[in-house]
Amino acid sequence: MTSEALKKLNITAASIICTLLLLISIIIIKICSKYTPQSNIYTLDESWNVTYTSKITGETTSCEGINLENIKDELDVTGFAKGDTLTFSYEFSRYGEAIDFPCIYVKFDYCAFYVNLDGETIYEYATDKISTGEFVACNYIIIPITSNYKGKTIEFNLTLTENTDLVINAPLLGSSNEIMYVFAYKNIFPLITGCFMITFGTVFALLSLVMFKKLPGMMLQLKTSVLSVLIGVRIWGYYELFPIIIKNEYSTTINFIALYLFVPVTMMVIREILPKDEEKKLFCTPVEIFDFVAFFAACILHFTNIIHFNRFLICFYVFTIVNIGIMVFYFVYCVKQKILTKYKMMHFSGLMIMSSLLIIDAIYYITMRFVYSTSTTTYLFPAGGFLYSGFIILNYLINTTRAYASAKENDNLVTLAYKDGLTNLSNKAMFDRILEVFDLHDDDYCIISIDLNELKEINDTYGHNAGDTFIENFASLLTDVFPAPDYCCRVGGDEFTVTTANVNETDILNKIEKLNELTKALNEKNSEYKLSFAYGYAFKHEFDSERVRSSSVYMAADSRMYELKNLQHKIINKKRKSTDKN
């Protein structure tokens, strides 16, 4: 993984952080402001007439003028059984103001029902599932009614599809758009938090998959991403926000899947956090396997309509308490043994904080629902999700910063391994790798072998510093004549190579002629010694075999270079002898 790629990852993380800050700003604006509906929304909390028929006893009980939120007290029952029927009727006598697109906003848990307005059926929900025993969702439903509803009677005919305590919130009457706006505004914090957690988890999952083989620790990030998406989905389900996004018939099932997957995926993340040797010692894998087996068993029973998800809630709460106890044990063990790195300890701490807030919120919800028969909720769960995402981002930045430093160090090592320290050209090791790449393809290429003349004499006469300058000057000329994508390499003290593709012999000769001209121009400026070189080149296409080795092409170029070098030496020696005679 290069440092450049890590820079891009950090830019992505910074973008996610900016998005998080933007969402927080929106929430702060919401807290500091208040949405005022453009038209009235009425709460239909009183004056309902109710008829209840028990399937078990066959008895029928009727009440008049009651508040639906107190239905169990009014009917003097502790709960309702599968197959029981309820009829609620209400006369629109008080609300005469005209409402654009009027509707009733209502929620009945695990009930199939149809709605009549003055005896005419205007809406049906899941009535076809009563006989099949299929699962019926429980979400807020918008029921359109006629605009001239004043004086008419609306009647809800319910058939319970599960054993339930049936906590009912008072239905609302108003414009469909206004009701949705008020509902979304009231739940803006969990709505935005859920949206952020799902988006955040999806983006990080994609990053993890892209970088899976290039960066360590991506498996933990991938599993954490899955957990983040589950948290977002569960937040939407917990605050019953799915009607804004998807069809009611799928929402409750998706909510239960996210809820029941939360524990096994959390344990999966913890197993990834723990060191491998400690993981085996603490039996993490068996715990995780048991959690997933329990989840899949619940899914099989639900989708075969044997036992639906809602019947497992008590088991789930007990199951969750046991697993959180295991999590606490793991956390305390890690703190005492000091076996986790700082960033993994930070991740584990965020997970514990979020789980603690989830448990507190669940206890509050259960207490309010089953003791006080109201569905009041808090914002602890989405707050825990926000905090956890903050820990993940911080952990990610620390991890990628460490990886960035490691990548920079690796880049430096690569430079040392494949760069010549004096000329900054590629070295012999890189040249060997280039030859290996050539052997993988059938394309034509050319290798030029170059050797400097008189380097030893310069070193002996003027010193090694002068020899180094001699080499550096030639390297500079070489890269000017053969720029990228050609590869110029220093493969020995005074030996150089050039590898190039997609050229012909004329191009090579022209470039060598240009190199000669540049060396002559440099020699005119330098009176101490004269720069010259011998060269030889060879093309792959010169060889009969299509699978010729690149090393053979190089040996041919090198042999031709030495032929020219010997000829140059003879000429130089002849000139020296002539000079000595004179």
Side-chain angles (χ1 to χ4, degrees):
M1 175 109 189
T2 63
S3 55
E4 190 63 31
L6 281 167
K7 284 181 182 178
K8 293 179 181 178
L9 278 179
N10 280 328
I11 289 172
T12 303
S15 301
I16 294 174
I17 292 172
C18 291
T19 304
L20 177 61
L21 294 175
L22 176 62
L23 295 178
I24 293 173
S25 301
I26 293 172
I27 293 167
I28 292 173
I29 292 172
K30 185 267 179 183
I31 293 171
C32 298
S33 62
K34 186 177 181 180
Y35 175 73
T36 304
Q38 301 300 308
S39 60
N40 290 331
I41 296 176
Y42 303 103
T43 302
L44 310 181
D45 52 354
E46 297 178 347
S47 303
W48 286 86
N49 298 326
V50 178
T51 301
Y52 164 60
T53 302
S54 171
K55 182 179 180 180
I56 298 174
T57 64
E59 296 180 358
T60 299
T61 306
S62 298
C63 297
E64 295 183 357
I66 71 169
N67 186 329
L68 285 185
E69 293 183 346
N70 302 326
I71 188 171
K72 287 194 295 184
D73 294 334
E74 297 285 353
L75 294 174
D76 193 25
V77 295
T78 57
F80 300 92
K82 181 178 180 179
D84 289 354
T85 59
L86 286 158
T87 301
F88 308 141
S89 62
Y90 184 89
E91 183 181 351
F92 295 112
S93 57
R94 291 187 295 165
Y95 310 113
E97 180 183 331
I99 298 175
D100 293 333
F101 308 106
C103 68
I104 299 293
Y105 189 61
V106 67
K107 179 197 174 193
F108 301 124
D109 290 351
Y110 311 114
C111 292
F113 62 90
Y114 63 94
V115 183
N116 292 337
L117 187 64
D118 269 2
E120 180 183 352
T121 301
I122 60 172
Y123 189 88
E124 287 189 51
Y125 179 73
T127 53
D128 57 325
K129 296 182 179 180
I130 297 174
S131 58
T132 61
E134 293 179 61
F135 186 63
V136 176
C138 48
N139 268 313
Y140 283 100
I141 296 172
I142 293 180
I143 303 171
I145 61 174
T146 180
S147 57
N148 58 340
Y149 56 85
K150 187 178 180 181
K152 295 186 177 182
T153 299
I154 191 167
E155 182 182 80
F156 294 87
N157 297 276
L158 282 64
T159 300
L160 277 69
T161 58
E162 304 284 346
N163 296 332
T164 176
D165 58 333
L166 195 64
V167 175
I168 301 176
N169 292 326
L172 300 177
L173 167 66
S175 166
S176 57
N177 289 337
E178 289 295 335
I179 288 176
M180 291 306 296
Y181 289 153
V182 170
F183 182 72
Y185 184 80
K186 178 183 176 182
N187 296 285
I188 191 69
F189 182 45
L191 179 64
I192 290 178
T193 303
C195 183
F196 171 76
M197 293 301 293
I198 292 171
T199 306
F200 168 78
T202 303
V203 171
F204 264 57
L206 293 175
L207 281 174
S208 302
L209 291 172
V210 170
M211 298 297 146
F212 194 79
K213 293 184 178 180
K214 301 177 183 179
L215 192 66
M218 286 300 101
M219 180 57 77
L220 174 58
Q221 185 168 302
L222 183 60
K223 292 179 179 179
T224 301
S225 301
V226 174
L227 181 59
S228 298
V229 172
L230 284 177
I231 293 170
V233 172
R234 175 56 186 153
I235 288 173
W236 277 353
Y238 185 62
Y239 291 91
E240 297 168 329
L241 299 170
F242 278 115
I244 301 175
I245 304 150
I246 64 172
K247 291 183 178 180
N248 286 323
E249 56 187 295
Y250 307 120
S251 57
T252 306
T253 300
I254 293 173
N255 180 32
F256 272 117
I257 289 174
L259 175 65
Y260 292 157
L261 260 181
F262 179 81
V263 170
V265 172
T266 300
M267 296 307 295
M268 188 170 66
V269 171
I270 290 174
R271 183 171 69 84
E272 199 64 34
I273 290 174
L274 294 173
K276 294 300 179 184
D277 53 340
E278 299 295 335
E279 169 204 322
K280 293 179 181 178
K281 188 188 301 183
L282 297 172
F283 302 102
C284 292
T285 302
V287 172
E288 181 185 335
I289 292 173
F290 180 79
D291 290 344
F292 274 104
V293 168
F295 167 74
F296 285 115
C299 287
I300 292 170
L301 291 171
H302 174 83
F303 289 109
T304 54
N305 293 318
I306 298 174
I307 304 176
H308 291 145
F309 277 142
N310 61 299
R311 304 291 293 276
F312 295 109
L313 274 174
I314 299 299
C315 295
F316 169 75
Y317 290 135
V318 174
F319 190 64
T320 301
I321 291 171
V322 171
N323 275 270
I324 287 181
I326 295 172
M327 285 172 55
V328 171
F329 170 75
Y330 287 164
F331 184 76
V332 173
Y333 179 83
C334 292
V335 171
K336 287 185 176 181
Q337 299 296 324
K338 298 179 179 179
I339 57 176
L340 295 181
T341 59
K342 289 183 179 179
Y343 78 92
K344 282 193 173 183
M345 197 67 207
M346 184 187 306
H347 194 140
F348 206 164
S349 299
L351 201 58
M352 291 301 299
I353 291 172
M354 183 197 65
S355 300
S356 300
L357 292 175
L358 172 60
I359 288 298
I360 295 171
D361 193 60
I363 291 173
Y364 176 83
Y365 175 77
I366 292 169
T367 302
M368 296 303 293
R369 185 175 179 90
F370 293 103
V371 177
Y372 298 101
S373 296
T374 178
S375 56
T376 305
T377 58
T378 71
Y379 287 153
L380 289 177
F381 186 21
F386 252 132
L387 285 173
Y388 183 54
S389 64
F391 275 98
I392 295 172
I393 293 173
L394 185 59
N395 178 35
Y396 171 79
L397 290 176
I398 292 173
N399 199 20
T400 51
T401 300
R402 288 162 57 116
Y404 178 76
S406 176
K408 287 290 288 183
E409 183 179 354
N410 186 58
D411 289 346
N412 293 334
L413 291 174
V414 168
T415 299
L416 290 174
Y418 296 110
K419 289 287 186 181
D420 176 59
L422 178 61
T423 63
N424 205 34
L425 297 179
S426 299
N427 60 11
K428 179 67 166 58
M430 177 56 79
F431 177 65
D432 291 339
R433 291 193 65 179
I434 294 170
L435 295 185
E436 291 174 3
V437 172
F438 280 154
D439 286 335
L440 298 175
H441 304 283
D442 295 328
D443 299 334
D444 192 26
Y445 56 85
C446 178
I447 299 176
I448 307 171
S449 178
I450 301 172
D451 194 277
L452 299 182
N453 295 323
E454 309 297 332
L455 178 60
K456 184 177 184 304
E457 287 76 3
I458 292 171
N459 283 334
D460 293 342
T461 306
Y462 301 103
H464 285 277
N465 287 338
D468 289 346
T469 303
F470 183 75
I471 292 170
E472 287 176 307
N473 289 338
F474 181 76
S476 178
L477 298 179
L478 193 63
T479 53
D480 288 342
V481 176
F482 295 95
D486 297 342
Y487 267 99
C488 299
C489 304
R490 184 187 177 201
V491 296
D494 56 358
E495 300 171 19
F496 295 83
T497 62
V498 177
T499 51
T500 181
N502 301 318
V503 293
N504 54 41
E505 189 169 7
T506 302
D507 295 330
I508 296 297
L509 291 173
N510 288 338
K511 289 191 174 187
I512 291 173
E513 180 60 30
K514 183 179 179 181
L515 186 60
N516 270 316
E517 291 173 359
L518 292 175
T519 56
K520 288 177 182 178
L522 183 64
N523 288 337
E524 290 176 1
K525 298 178 182 179
N526 187 357
S527 59
E528 292 183 345
Y529 46 82
K530 303 301 179 183
L531 178 61
S532 65
F533 61 91
Y535 68 89
Y537 60 86
F539 286 87
K540 178 187 175 183
H541 69 253
E542 297 178 46
F543 296 81
D544 294 333
S545 173
E546 292 183 359
R547 302 305 301 170
V548 62
R549 302 283 297 179
S550 56
S551 57
S552 299
V553 180
Y554 172 53
M555 288 174 63
D558 207 42
S559 176
R560 292 168 185 174
M561 180 273 294
Y562 276 111
E563 289 177 8
L564 179 59
K565 190 174 185 70
N566 290 333
L567 181 60
Q568 288 173 338
H569 272 298
K570 289 179 181 179
I571 295 172
I572 292 171
N573 290 334
K574 188 175 182 179
K575 285 183 179 180
R576 284 177 179 172
K577 288 178 181 179
S578 177
T579 303
D580 291 342
K581 286 181 180 180
N582 294 333

